[in-house]
Amino acid sequence: RIGNSLNRHQENRPMLKLYYHPLSTFTRRVLITLIEKAIPHELIPVDMAAREHNQPSYRALNPYGRVPTLMEDDFVLYESTAILNYLEAIHPSPPLTPADPRGRALVDMHMKLCDLELTRQTGTIIFPKRFLPEQRWNLAEMARAKAEIEQHLAILERSLAGREYLVAEMYSLAEVCYTPFVQFLPLMEIVPPPAVGAWAERILNRPSAVRTRPSH
């Protein structure tokens, strides 16, 4: 009875709207989760090249002028990990976090570590490589970022030793967070250690990751 009530509540929810850019790594996290959970949604592109993210109408939704932004009626979220946790809360099946508090805390820890130890550093390298001419690359900053990533991957290697996934032997929001960034290890000329490499290949081959793979 409780399950049926939850299903009816979910069916009656307003359509989620996702403001996004197709080349945004943080947007990709949300798209993967929406696919994994088969959540109905409406995609609203934000043309970053045309500076739509700086228009007053968009800044009224997201004062930082970034993507993604999630809307549900008048409820707005605009940080990717907050969006992922919200989607998990309102659509708990199929689960992307363990049921027990310790397991959920470990997923949260890995999500946070991904943002602290990988996302900024990856952006330092891949943004210029994807969008800027080589003469505008800051090679010293890119080298520092690469060294930080390699140090983080060495620590991640220990977490993944003998495991297929980071937490509770299940694909979780931790993997969702990492997917858009490990996609670019070859572009960054980083060879991951063995367990990380196998794990990265595993999560990049999931249908949700394949469907959201960037064009370049």
Side-chain angles (χ1 to χ4, degrees):
R1 186 174 301 168
I2 293 174
N4 290 337
S5 175
L6 178 60
N7 290 337
R8 285 196 299 271
H9 177 65
Q10 291 176 352
E11 289 169 3
N12 293 329
R13 299 189 76 94
M15 176 73 75
L16 294 171
K17 296 180 180 181
L18 183 70
Y19 292 81
Y20 81 110
H21 189 278
L23 299 182
S24 162
T25 47
F26 293 100
T27 291
R28 190 180 179 196
R29 292 173 161 181
V30 180
L31 293 173
I32 288 171
T33 304
L34 291 168
I35 292 168
E36 290 282 345
K37 291 180 170 291
I39 301 173
H41 59 280
E42 177 186 355
L43 292 176
I44 303 172
V46 179
D47 189 341
M48 310 287 276
R51 314 297 291 175
E52 286 185 359
H53 58 297
N54 284 330
Q55 294 299 313
S57 57
Y58 187 69
R59 289 277 181 162
L61 296 176
N62 185 331
Y64 296 96
R66 297 194 288 254
V67 290
T69 299
L70 186 79
M71 281 192 67
E72 186 182 40
D73 280 346
D74 59 352
F75 179 66
V76 181
L77 280 175
Y78 42 76
E79 280 299 307
S80 64
T81 52
I83 293 171
L84 300 191
N85 284 325
Y86 181 66
L87 295 177
E88 178 72 6
I90 64 172
H91 289 271
S93 181
L96 290 176
T97 57
D100 64 293
R102 289 184 176 183
R104 289 197 299 270
L106 286 171
V107 169
D108 286 341
M109 178 186 75
H110 284 293
M111 292 169 72
K112 185 69 172 178
L113 285 170
C114 179
D115 280 352
L116 288 172
E117 306 293 342
L118 187 65
T119 62
R120 175 187 56 80
Q121 295 85 345
T122 299
T124 297
I125 302 171
I126 70 169
F127 182 83
K129 284 197 169 190
R130 294 172 85 192
F131 304 117
L132 298 178
E134 192 168 349
Q135 60 267 27
R136 293 182 58 189
W137 297 2
N138 187 324
L139 296 178
E141 283 190 5
M142 293 166 74
R144 280 194 294 271
K146 182 179 180 182
E148 289 178 20
I149 292 170
E150 289 172 336
Q151 183 179 28
H152 175 59
L153 295 184
I155 295 171
L156 204 59
E157 178 77 0
R158 297 197 291 271
S159 297
L160 284 165
R163 298 171 174 266
E164 291 198 353
Y165 299 106
L166 283 166
V167 181
E169 284 306 306
M170 66 175 288
Y171 178 84
S172 75
L173 291 178
E175 277 74 29
V176 172
C177 283
Y178 272 97
T179 297
F181 300 94
V182 298
Q183 180 80 55
F184 291 107
L185 290 177
L187 179 63
M188 295 188 289
E189 301 179 60
I190 292 174
V191 177
V196 173
W199 168 77
E201 182 177 2
R202 189 175 303 118
I203 63 178
L204 289 170
N205 283 329
R206 285 184 77 87
S208 59
V210 173
R211 283 178 58 184
T212 58
R213 187 169 293 157
S215 58
H216 70 279

